[in-house]
Amino acid sequence: MSSPAKRAENSPVTATPRFDFLDLRAQFGTIRDEVMQAVAQVFESQYFILGPEVKLLEDEVAAKLGAKFAVGCASGTDALILSLLAAGIGRGDEVITTPFSFIATAGAIAYVGAKPVFVDIDPVTYNLDPALLEAAITPDTRAIMPVHLFGLPADMDPIMAVARSHDLVIIEDAAQAIGSRYGGRYTGTFGEYGCFSFFPSKNLGGAGDGGMITTNDAGLAERLQMLRVHGSQKKYFHDMIGTNSRLHALQAAVLRVKLRHLDAWQQGRQNRAERYRRLFESAGLSSFITAPPQPPAKFEHVYNQFTIRSPRRDDLKAFLQAAGVPSEIYYPLCIHLQKAFAYLGHRAGEFPESEKASREVLSLPVYPELPDAQQDRVVQAISDFRAAV
């Protein structure tokens, strides 16, 4: 018997053209004039690196999130690295984090010479399970790096309680979660450092790479500002070893325009997510696939990804692809099993919830401008898959 995906290749639905997982052109079309005007002003100024445009973005992001300071940098990965460096974390230190994330989370820890120590995830939220933190702490533990994965805040109250009881630094990886809130407070403002990415696919995405770090400590903000320019406050005088991680003024100009629309876009993503839930329910799919539940009132999800899970994920993805319906897997292999981290000596089975998630998760299109008709096609294709298996 042929597989559902193979049968789909010969079914009528394949005649419908494929659409994009994320259509950034749709977003750009709504703000084209604003963006082009902002970019033109930067070209007129010829001030491309840091400068007033970046400072304005930093102030606006800090004000938006309720942080005292924000420091722009070259990428979300650099935001993590600079935060670790500013915290004085390096060789011989351990940082606790999740094995179910983009590799930059643990990669930044390894990059500064520290050891990533993994704890498993909660299977519902995909974020690290706070109940497992205490057992992972050793005399070498210096920090905890929670990830607000897919746009859903990690459970920060118990995480903060553990950190404070052991005098540990908190570095929030909020790369996918700008605008999300936990208990009414924005993610990225709980710990000593909050790290954000402006990669184009993020909810607040630039026209290339970019990142930012939030902090409520003036001394840490000054240290981060120095680290991003080779450890310098005064030109050609260097107080510490830093790096080149400066945010481009063109990126800042684009992001300042987009920041004004972030709340509306966030509401659009939440509306798309809620519509998926209604469509799944009406199609009788709730018992066939597991969709992200409506989060408790304390957690505000901003849906950088809308991630379902299925024990037949790979067959489902192939079926959707044959039907012209896009989907993505975040992430197909846990960090502890990546070849780059083989030196840590981890084996399959050590973090069962993370590993199970990596076999079952599948993200569906969920951007604000997603047309109803395309969202309907996603749900219909999943229904077709159910009928074919």
Side-chain angles (χ1 to χ4, degrees):
M1 178 180 290
S2 62
S3 70
K6 195 68 177 177
R7 293 198 298 274
E9 292 177 1
N10 300 315
S11 67
V13 73
T14 58
T16 308
R18 177 181 172 85
F19 58 93
D20 293 325
F21 182 78
L22 173 62
D23 185 1
L24 291 175
R25 293 165 299 186
Q27 181 190 86
F28 179 61
T30 67
I31 57 173
R32 178 189 301 272
D33 291 343
E34 293 176 83
V35 169
M36 299 311 293
Q37 181 180 357
V39 168
Q41 288 173 351
V42 173
F43 273 103
E44 288 296 330
S45 75
Q46 288 293 292
Y47 207 134
F48 295 115
I49 302 296
L50 296 178
E53 201 70 33
V54 171
K55 181 63 167 64
L56 285 168
L57 176 66
E58 291 172 337
D59 291 345
E60 289 164 5
V61 168
K64 167 67 178 173
L65 300 181
K68 291 183 179 179
F69 306 97
V71 179
C73 60
S75 69
T77 300
D78 276 6
L80 297 171
I81 292 171
L82 291 170
S83 297
L84 289 159
L85 292 173
I89 293 172
R91 196 165 304 281
D93 297 327
E94 295 180 353
V95 178
I96 298 173
T97 192
T98 167
F100 189 65
S101 179
F102 182 57
I103 196 168
T105 303
I109 297 167
Y111 188 85
V112 301
K115 177 184 177 182
V117 174
F118 301 114
V119 298
D120 212 352
I121 60 169
D122 179 296
V124 176
T125 67
Y126 303 116
N127 289 322
L128 65 81
D129 187 341
L132 304 176
L133 286 172
E134 285 282 357
I137 294 172
T138 75
D140 295 324
T141 306
R142 290 285 311 283
I144 302 172
M145 187 181 286
V147 179
H148 307 297
L149 197 67
F150 302 149
L152 178 67
D155 196 358
M156 291 306 297
D157 282 346
I159 292 172
M160 294 298 294
V162 171
R164 297 298 173 249
S165 68
H166 293 275
D167 195 25
L168 302 176
V169 173
I170 291 286
I171 301 171
E172 296 175 69
D173 183 342
Q176 299 179 5
I178 192 166
S180 66
R181 286 181 284 195
Y182 175 85
R185 182 174 172 181
Y186 284 104
T187 54
T189 66
F190 288 85
E192 284 76 8
Y193 309 87
C195 300
F196 298 90
S197 169
F198 299 134
F199 187 78
S201 65
K202 298 299 191 288
N203 290 19
L204 181 62
D209 276 316
M212 189 162 285
I213 308 156
T214 49
T215 183
N216 289 315
D217 186 299
L220 294 181
E222 182 178 359
R223 188 171 176 85
L224 290 164
Q225 290 162 354
M226 294 173 65
L227 284 166
R228 71 179 174 181
V229 288
H230 297 288
S232 174
Q233 281 184 312
K234 181 180 178 182
K235 191 172 182 179
Y236 301 130
F237 291 83
H238 306 272
D239 299 337
M240 63 185 75
I241 301 298
T243 188
N244 176 8
S245 184
R246 300 170 298 196
L247 183 61
H248 200 294
L250 283 169
Q251 295 298 344
V254 171
L255 291 163
R256 289 187 64 215
V257 170
K258 289 191 168 187
L259 183 62
R260 299 196 290 266
H261 299 271
L262 181 61
D263 288 345
W265 290 339
Q266 176 175 306
Q267 185 63 58
R269 287 176 177 270
Q270 291 167 338
N271 291 344
R272 292 292 99 186
E274 189 55 38
R275 188 169 189 270
Y276 268 130
R277 294 190 185 96
R278 294 197 304 270
L279 291 172
F280 290 151
E281 182 67 29
S282 63
L285 291 171
S286 299
S287 60
F288 182 70
I289 52 101
T290 303
Q294 184 67 44
K298 193 173 188 176
F299 297 76
E300 184 175 6
H301 202 321
V302 295
Y303 298 99
N304 185 242
Q305 309 296 346
F306 185 89
T307 302
I308 65 172
R309 62 191 302 169
S310 167
R312 299 196 62 174
R313 188 272 310 283
D314 291 343
D315 288 339
L316 174 57
K317 180 171 175 56
F319 188 93
L320 295 180
Q321 182 175 355
V325 172
S327 63
E328 296 289 347
I329 299 173
Y330 305 96
Y331 297 93
L333 184 66
C334 294
I335 297 175
H336 67 287
L337 299 177
Q338 297 282 350
K339 184 177 180 180
F341 284 101
Y343 71 93
L344 292 175
H346 290 296
R347 295 290 183 268
E350 289 187 50
F351 305 102
E353 293 296 348
S354 297
E355 293 169 32
K356 185 178 181 184
S358 73
R359 295 190 298 268
E360 294 185 351
V361 294
L362 188 66
S363 293
L364 307 177
V366 71
Y367 57 94
E369 303 83 9
L370 179 68
D372 285 356
Q374 291 182 0
Q375 195 172 22
D376 293 343
R377 277 186 60 195
V378 174
V379 177
Q380 183 60 55
I382 296 173
S383 296
D384 292 343
F385 175 76
R386 179 185 58 179
V389 296

